[in-house]
Amino acid sequence: MTSSRLAPGAGIVTVPGGRPAVRTAEGEFLHLDTGTADLAALTRHLVGGEAAPDAEVARVAAAFEREGHAVRPVPEEGGPLSGRTVLLLGDARLTGPLARYAAAEGAVTRHPTPEYVGRLADGEGADASTVVVWCLDEPVPPGLWDAADRLPAHGTAWLRCHREGAHLWTEPLAAAPGDVTSAHVRLRRLAATSAHRQLAAYWAGHRTPDNGPHPGEAACALVAALLAADLFAWAAPGPDSMLPARRRLRRVDLRDLTVTEHPVLPVPPVAPLPARGSGPA
């Protein structure tokens, strides 16, 4: 029978002159009462995989399992992105690190053309195991992501990031109809600022030429790691956090690599205004 092992992040702490303790994966310390079980034998069992020498060690090890501080090893099944395809577009300085991280976690990575993404957005070859990730080292040109915003309606996931001056934004992952699209993010950001006319003009290209700062190696690694975390949440959904990946807008300040998170919700469809003269005065 497979021996249980300490859960990732958990450990046994021997306190000189005091009682041993369990450090949980959450960083808490709990007093450990082994009863008549030998602590050294228990440690060898939970760390080295040695067979439990007696019933007392087996009893304490079973208590570790029951409380979630020990687990039984399972056969290697690949990383969290095994069986997933990640399609990467945009600036290579941002997509390069993400491609390496995704491949290391089991994903198949490809670099399609925007035309191919457009066909996916029309439902051609849509696949629930595929995600499109588009990263830009510049503001989003008008209309560039309009077609990709239709991907979730056909079951293909959609993740993106872009830079505006010294700030790089990672937008919420959209994986199903009703999720937050890039158009929703623009509308929410316009609604949240009193400078909405200026922001709209900036997005439309009425601005001086871009002078950076471009993300450096550390910033690119940080952004790639943040996007990889969103991909993990998509591939293996866990308990909802306070701010899940599908409702989380991040802003990375490229000057000091500060990350701030903002909740964002989809924008519901709005009924058209009635035609002039069609209703009561």
Side-chain angles (χ1 to χ4, degrees):
M1 184 172 62
T2 304
S3 298
S4 55
R5 302 289 183 90
L6 286 171
I12 297 175
V13 180
T14 54
V15 182
R19 297 169 58 186
V22 176
R23 185 188 186 279
T24 70
E26 289 73 29
E28 298 177 328
F29 289 93
L30 308 175
H31 287 301
L32 173 59
D33 183 1
T34 61
T36 60
D38 180 70
L39 178 61
L42 175 67
T43 302
R44 290 193 300 270
H45 173 69
L46 291 175
V47 176
E50 291 187 10
D54 53 49
E56 277 300 296
V57 170
R59 179 187 64 81
V60 179
F64 268 73
E65 282 192 57
R66 189 167 56 250
E67 297 301 323
H69 307 314
V71 295
R72 293 184 179 272
V74 296
E76 184 63 42
E77 297 179 352
L81 297 179
S82 293
R84 306 285 179 160
T85 299
V86 180
L87 304 180
L88 296 150
L89 299 92
D91 194 281
R93 74 177 71 199
L94 293 166
T95 60
L98 181 57
R100 293 194 298 271
Y101 299 163
E105 299 298 338
V108 174
T109 62
R110 295 176 182 155
H111 298 271
T113 63
E115 291 74 21
Y116 179 79
V117 173
R119 292 195 295 272
L120 281 180
D122 291 332
E124 295 182 31
D127 187 350
S129 65
T130 297
V131 58
V132 172
V133 186
W134 204 326
C135 299
L136 296 176
D137 184 23
E138 62 178 344
V140 184
L144 180 66
W145 285 350
D146 289 355
D149 271 351
R150 302 197 305 270
L151 289 167
H154 297 287
T156 298
W158 166 222
L159 182 62
R160 58 229 170 256
C161 72
H162 68 281
R163 180 178 61 82
E164 297 175 7
H167 295 147
L168 194 145
W169 298 84
T170 72
E171 299 192 1
L173 184 140
D179 278 350
V180 179
T181 65
S182 66
H184 293 162
V185 171
R186 288 194 297 272
L187 289 172
R188 292 295 187 187
R189 288 184 59 193
L190 288 172
T193 178
S194 59
H196 53 89
R197 291 184 178 85
Q198 292 83 355
L199 182 58
Y202 175 83
W203 286 340
H206 304 296
R207 57 181 185 266
T208 54
D210 175 50
N211 60 353
H214 298 287
E217 186 173 349
C220 291
L222 171 61
V223 172
L226 295 173
L227 295 174
D230 290 341
L231 293 180
F232 296 165
W234 160 69
D240 283 340
S241 63
M242 291 294 291
L243 198 53
R246 289 161 73 168
R247 295 293 184 267
R248 177 175 57 211
L249 175 68
R250 298 191 194 93
R251 188 184 71 179
V252 181
D253 192 319
L254 298 174
R255 296 165 294 187
D256 58 9
L257 300 189
T258 307
V259 181
T260 55
E261 297 185 342
H262 310 270
V264 60
L265 296 174
V267 178
V270 178
L273 292 173
R276 185 182 298 272
S278 62

